[in-house]
Amino acid sequence: MSNSREPFRERIARAADAKKSPIVLALDLPTSKRNLPAFAAKTIRAVGQHICAVKMNFHLILPLSASEISRINKLVHSYGLQSIADIKLNDIENTNEVAIDHLTRMGFDAVIANPFIGKGGLAALVQKAHKAGAGVIALVYMSHPGAKEGFGLEVGGRGLYSEFLERATGAGADGIVVGATQLDILRQVAKQQLPVYSPGIGAQGGDAEQAIRSGADYLIIGRSIVEAAQPAKVAKEIQSRILLSVRK
Amino acid sequence: MSNSREPFRERIARAADAKKSPIVLALDLPTSKRNLPAFAAKTIRAVGQHICAVKMNFHLILPLSASEISRINKLVHSYGLQSIADIKLNDIENTNEVAIDHLTRMGFDAVIANPFIGKGGLAALVQKAHKAGAGVIALVYMSHPGAKEGFGLEVGGRGLYSEFLERATGAGADGIVVGATQLDILRQVAKQQLPVYSPGIGAQGGDAEQAIRSGADYLIIGRSIVEAAQPAKVAKEIQSRILLSVRK
């Protein structure tokens, strides 16, 4: 990682363009899987042509060592893809900075953080990440049913997510997360300058085309691809459907 | 881990009693340290008699493998101490459950979570953890300056932390986190039945005795012990000061 690199935001846009796919593969492998690194590699090889990035959550980050994660990230990069660490960082400044250090050493290109930590903390995190050549994607509205009890709280006469959006913009974040199950919010944030990442497609009930039409720039898709009998077939189908949808 | 074990809440109370110490050592090792597992082990051996638990954050959880963490947890247990994973979990139900699976397999006794995820998500997390013989400690008010922009938000005419406290109680959490820098909040929550864990002692400006007098049950102390030239001396001094303070 070096600060002379092209910014994350441009790297992932270029990857999406090259692959003709806005799909971020969430490598959410079940705990029951044996040999997680091999299964992760097999999945990346299978769908690498149909996605622009890979996102890893605790499914891999907890059980695997730093060197195993590094090897996966090298494979991700060899396919011209970006890699995102989804630990929904929400800690004190010192811990967030240490996390960025470790994650960038493992080859991650971006980290997902929760603006709940406050403006200053988020800004410090973005600065630290940018220095390391990495990006920060800020949560604005998650996809689960309980999301309204956090991001949907009414604070000062408006949804907390509006405040989070302002914090993300103010901090210079490289993107925001808005669940594909929240189409109204997607339409609202689509007017912003920040790229929108939408999780919750498939297993959680969100629809890929609807999300794209509502303003999502990237679709985060996990279980419906990863747990499919033929991941490449499913990924390619979603990719084609989105391409058709965009052409409409 | 098995659900026939004594609950986490009782295990840590017993450890604190046996060691005559409410100190939870935050093993927040700087990224510059070489051979983190050896340094962690050395620190645990040095201060094991003056603490009741060890808390690990991304400082160790990101760079170390599951087997390295397991070995540290075995050492922690051999000193009669409890082990807490501080990843401030704030994700969808599926991911939280996968995280609990991995963490309990590594020998952690409890996990820290953010009630921001909503009542249902927190309750599901606590149920899952209890089944695995582990506890959940819920954030109620963190110690950093930006904490007021999250936990301190006014929602429905009161601080969001009050709502988080209700969520923690309702979900059957095993403890709550309130920063030692927030003495007023500490005094408010001290009337509750839930054990209170207070971080922010030392490096962040909180005072051990003040926190205990204000209602903290456990003190989370990291850098002031871990980065000391003589960690055991510092830990023993804090332990003695707290014991004297309690006797007053």
Side-chain angles (χ1 to χ4, degrees):
Chain A
M1 290 288 148
S2 123
N3 54 4
S4 62
R5 298 171 77 196
E6 185 184 25
F8 165 73
R9 188 172 163 167
E10 290 164 31
R11 298 203 299 271
I12 192 165
R14 208 153 38 77
D17 204 43
K19 305 287 178 175
K20 296 194 186 354
S21 174
I23 300 174
V24 176
L25 177 72
L27 263 181
D28 296 346
L29 308 189
T31 44
S32 57
K33 276 279 166 232
R34 287 183 177 268
N35 201 345
L36 290 170
F39 190 76
K42 190 181 145 199
T43 309
I44 293 162
R45 285 193 192 100
V47 305
Q49 294 311 319
H50 310 294
I51 62 175
C52 64
V54 164
K55 180 179 81 71
M56 290 184 238
N57 200 322
F58 292 124
H59 306 67
L60 291 182
I61 290 174
L62 287 178
L64 302 191
S65 68
S67 59
E68 285 171 318
I69 298 272
S70 295
R71 278 196 289 275
I72 295 177
N73 279 336
K74 272 185 194 137
L75 182 68
V76 166
H77 291 146
S78 77
Y79 277 84
L81 311 170
Q82 291 288 291
S83 181
I84 302 165
D86 183 11
I87 58 173
K88 297 183 175 67
L89 208 49
N90 68 131
D91 216 310
I92 62 169
E93 219 170 294
N94 168 271
T95 302
N96 295 341
E97 297 197 344
V98 168
I100 289 286
D101 268 342
H102 287 303
L103 293 170
T104 52
R105 282 181 200 184
M106 290 180 218
F108 281 110
D109 297 287
V111 64
I112 297 181
N114 193 337
F116 189 72
I117 53 174
K119 280 180 214 178
L122 189 64
L125 175 61
V126 171
Q127 266 184 28
K128 172 80 181 176
H130 285 180
K131 253 191 206 162
V136 173
I137 301 168
L139 297 175
V140 162
Y141 213 113
M142 280 171 66
S143 50
H144 62 300
K148 63 177 181 301
E149 295 173 53
F151 306 95
L153 285 170
E154 200 180 295
V155 177
R158 59 177 188 162
L160 182 51
Y161 69 90
S162 305
E163 166 72 21
F164 280 12
L165 180 60
E166 278 179 25
R167 289 183 192 178
T169 308
D174 305 275
I176 55 172
V177 168
V178 175
T181 52
Q182 316 288 343
L183 297 177
D184 285 347
I185 316 273
L186 265 181
R187 283 182 211 110
Q188 283 178 48
V189 301
K191 297 161 201 156
Q192 302 294 319
Q193 294 301 311
L194 285 172
V196 182
Y197 292 76
S198 254
I201 312 282
Q204 287 182 70
D207 177 76
E209 289 168 88
Q210 262 193 322
I212 290 283
R213 279 200 301 267
S214 304
D217 297 288
Y218 299 97
L219 300 178
I220 300 174
I221 309 181
R223 286 170 277 171
S224 38
I225 293 177
V226 167
E227 296 179 12
Q230 298 181 63
K233 201 179 158 210
V234 176
K236 197 178 172 180
E237 268 170 18
I238 301 172
Q239 183 192 21
S240 311
R241 270 175 50 215
I242 301 165
L243 283 173
L244 281 172
S245 164
V246 171
R247 277 196 206 117
K248 270 177 200 163
Chain B
M1 292 284 147
S2 123
N3 54 4
S4 62
R5 299 171 76 196
E6 185 184 25
F8 165 72
R9 188 172 161 166
E10 291 163 29
R11 298 202 300 269
I12 192 165
R14 208 153 39 75
D17 204 44
K19 305 286 178 176
K20 296 194 187 350
S21 174
I23 301 174
V24 175
L25 177 72
L27 263 180
D28 295 346
L29 308 190
T31 45
S32 56
K33 277 277 167 231
R34 289 186 174 264
N35 202 345
L36 289 170
F39 190 76
K42 190 181 144 198
T43 308
I44 293 162
R45 286 193 191 100
V47 305
Q49 294 311 317
H50 310 294
I51 62 176
C52 64
V54 164
K55 180 179 81 73
M56 289 184 239
N57 201 322
F58 292 124
H59 305 67
L60 292 182
I61 290 175
L62 287 179
L64 303 190
S65 68
S67 59
E68 286 172 317
I69 298 273
S70 294
R71 278 196 291 276
I72 295 177
N73 279 336
K74 272 186 194 138
L75 182 68
V76 166
H77 291 145
S78 77
Y79 277 85
L81 311 171
Q82 291 289 290
S83 182
I84 301 165
D86 184 9
I87 59 173
K88 296 183 177 67
L89 207 50
N90 68 131
D91 215 310
I92 62 168
E93 219 170 295
N94 169 270
T95 302
N96 295 340
E97 297 199 345
V98 168
I100 289 286
D101 268 342
H102 288 303
L103 293 171
T104 52
R105 282 181 200 183
M106 290 179 217
F108 282 109
D109 298 286
V111 64
I112 296 181
N114 193 338
F116 189 72
I117 52 174
K119 282 181 215 176
L122 189 64
L125 175 61
V126 170
Q127 266 185 29
K128 172 80 180 174
H130 285 180
K131 254 191 206 163
V136 173
I137 301 169
L139 296 176
V140 163
Y141 212 113
M142 279 172 66
S143 51
H144 62 299
K148 63 177 182 300
E149 294 173 55
F151 306 94
L153 285 170
E154 201 180 294
V155 176
R158 60 176 188 162
L160 182 51
Y161 69 90
S162 304
E163 167 70 22
F164 280 12
L165 181 59
E166 278 178 25
R167 290 183 192 177
T169 309
D174 305 276
I176 55 172
V177 168
V178 175
T181 52
Q182 316 287 344
L183 297 178
D184 285 348
I185 317 274
L186 265 182
R187 283 182 211 109
Q188 284 178 49
V189 301
K191 297 161 202 156
Q192 301 294 318
Q193 294 301 311
L194 285 173
V196 183
Y197 292 76
S198 253
I201 311 282
Q204 287 182 70
D207 177 76
E209 289 168 87
Q210 262 193 324
I212 290 282
R213 280 199 301 267
S214 304
D217 296 288
Y218 299 97
L219 300 178
I220 300 174
I221 309 181
R223 286 171 277 172
S224 37
I225 293 176
V226 167
E227 294 179 13
Q230 298 180 65
K233 202 179 157 209
V234 176
K236 197 178 173 181
E237 269 170 18
I238 301 172
Q239 183 191 23
S240 311
R241 270 175 50 215
I242 301 165
L243 284 172
L244 281 172
S245 163
V246 171
R247 277 196 206 117
K248 270 177 199 164

